[in-house]
Every structure is written in structure tokens, then in C-alpha cells.
């Protein structure tokens, strides 16, 4: 059964680039933007991460946490965060298990080749732990501001 708005967000605990565990439960009482992205240091992912970075003060002023998730390792996340001065945690979902629970991991095609990986998607999780908004078709350049506009209506 596909995740729907109003469903409880699947709980998780993943390490950040420093190895510290980050759990969804840590953010209970706050709204969370949980975004899944395919790869550190790729054009679309760079634009999406920098969009969240550039809007981060606005997210903070609304008490909204931002968490990025990919299958990249700690070293890759560390370099990515440093290179682009990312102020939010990047979480390591090595086997794609959490992405799978969010229906954001599976078969993909690129240049005629099929492979398994993370699909770009975002979930807005309410302070009560329920899904408030689900984004499946994400435009990396404008996504962070699109979410901010939608948050105004929540």
C-alpha cells in the first residue's frame, strides 16, 4: 500500500556524516523536510542541496528541520557538505532500506541502463509524525522554495 498524506511517517535511525545517529523521533514536535536524493556531487543533487542551503534560514525561522538522505558513505557526505557549506545533516542509508520504506528506492533507468537506486522525492512530516506532503516529481532547482510556499498553507 502506497504512503498517503495523513499516514504515520515510517520511523528511522540513520548515521550522519560524523557517525552520529539521527532518528525521526528526535524531531517529534517539529516539522521535518526529509528529502531523498540519488548521489552527492551530481548536478541535480547539487542544485537541490544548495536550494535547501539558501533557504535554510527561512526553514529555521519556521522551526522546520531539513534532512537529506542518500546511499553515499560518510566520506562522500562530508566532502559534499563541506564543498557546498550545507548547514543540515546528510544521512547515510547504505542499503537503501529507509528509502525503500518511503517508496523512494528501486529500479531506475539512465541512458538506457537499468540499475537500483534512490529516486528523488521529499516528504514533509508534521510535528505529530504524520505525512503532510509527498513530492514524487521534484525539480531540483526550485524544490526548496516550492516546499516553503506549500508550508504556508499547512
Amino acid at each position: 500500500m502506497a504512503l498517503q498524506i495523513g499516514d504515520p511517517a515510517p520511523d528511522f535511525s540513520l548515521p550522519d556524516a560524523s557517525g552520529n545517529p539521527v532518528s525521526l523521533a528526535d524531531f517529534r514536535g517539529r516539522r521535518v523536510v526529509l528529502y531523498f536524493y540519488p548521489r552527492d556531487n551530481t548536478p541535480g543533487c547539487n542544485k537541490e542541496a544548495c536550494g535547501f542551503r539558501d533557504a535554510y534560514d527561512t526553514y529555521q525561522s519556521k522551526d522546520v528541520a531539513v534532512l537529506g538522505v542518500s546511499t553515499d558513505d560518510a566520506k562522500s557526505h562530508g566532502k559534499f557538505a563541506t564543498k557546498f557549506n550545507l548547514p543540515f545533516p546528510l544521512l547515510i542509508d547504505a542499503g537503501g532500506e529507509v528509502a525503500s520504506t518511503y517508496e523512494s528506492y528501486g529500479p531506475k533507468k539512465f541512458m538506457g541502463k537499468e540499475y537500483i537506486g534512490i529516486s528523488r522525492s521529499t516528504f514533509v512530516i508534521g510535528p505529530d509524525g504524520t505525512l503532510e506532503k509527498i513530492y514524487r516529481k521534484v525539480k531540483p532547482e526550485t524544490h526548496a522554495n516550492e516546499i516553503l510556499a506549500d508550508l504556508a498553507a499547512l
Side-chain angles (χ1 to χ4, degrees), residues 20-74:
N20 301 310
V22 176
S23 299
L24 182 57
D26 299 340
F27 297 93
R28 190 58 73 132
R30 287 182 73 191
R31 188 166 274 130
V32 175
V33 171
L34 179 68
Y35 83 97
F36 293 90
Y37 66 97
R39 234 342 118 244
D40 292 338
N41 285 304
T42 57
C45 297
N46 295 352
K47 288 175 187 169
E48 186 174 23
C50 289
F52 282 115
R53 176 203 63 203
D54 294 348
Y56 191 70
D57 287 345
T58 305
Y59 279 98
Q60 289 295 102
S61 73
K62 297 178 180 299
D63 196 31
V64 177
V66 176
L67 304 172
V69 180
S70 82
T71 56
D72 292 307
D73 63 19

Side-chain angles (χ1 to χ4, degrees), residues 1-149:
M1 180 118 166
L3 290 173
Q4 305 280 329
I5 291 172
D7 287 350
D11 202 13
F12 63 84
S13 185
L14 292 171
D16 66 12
S18 300
N20 301 310
V22 176
S23 299
L24 182 57
D26 299 340
F27 297 93
R28 190 58 73 132
R30 287 182 73 191
R31 188 166 274 130
V32 175
V33 171
L34 179 68
Y35 83 97
F36 293 90
Y37 66 97
R39 234 342 118 244
D40 292 338
N41 285 304
T42 57
C45 297
N46 295 352
K47 288 175 187 169
E48 186 174 23
C50 289
F52 282 115
R53 176 203 63 203
D54 294 348
Y56 191 70
D57 287 345
T58 305
Y59 279 98
Q60 289 295 102
S61 73
K62 297 178 180 299
D63 196 31
V64 177
V66 176
L67 304 172
V69 180
S70 82
T71 56
D72 292 307
D73 63 19
K75 185 176 180 182
S76 178
H77 276 351
K79 285 182 178 180
F80 186 48
T82 299
K83 179 177 179 180
F84 291 104
N85 197 27
L86 303 179
F88 50 86
L90 299 177
L91 307 181
I92 303 160
D93 188 14
E97 291 173 23
V98 172
S100 291
T101 66
Y102 279 85
E103 301 160 357
S104 300
Y105 188 80
K108 296 175 67 173
K109 272 190 179 176
F110 182 70
M111 296 178 67
K113 285 194 162 188
E114 265 198 41
Y115 64 99
I116 302 293
I118 287 184
S119 300
R120 193 180 309 280
S121 56
T122 301
F123 300 82
V124 176
I125 302 164
D128 63 353
T130 61
L131 296 171
E132 292 183 328
K133 194 90 171 134
I134 299 171
Y135 301 85
R136 294 287 183 195
K137 296 197 177 187
V138 172
K139 291 184 178 159
E141 302 83 2
T142 57
H143 190 48
N145 288 326
E146 173 189 19
I147 294 170
L148 282 173

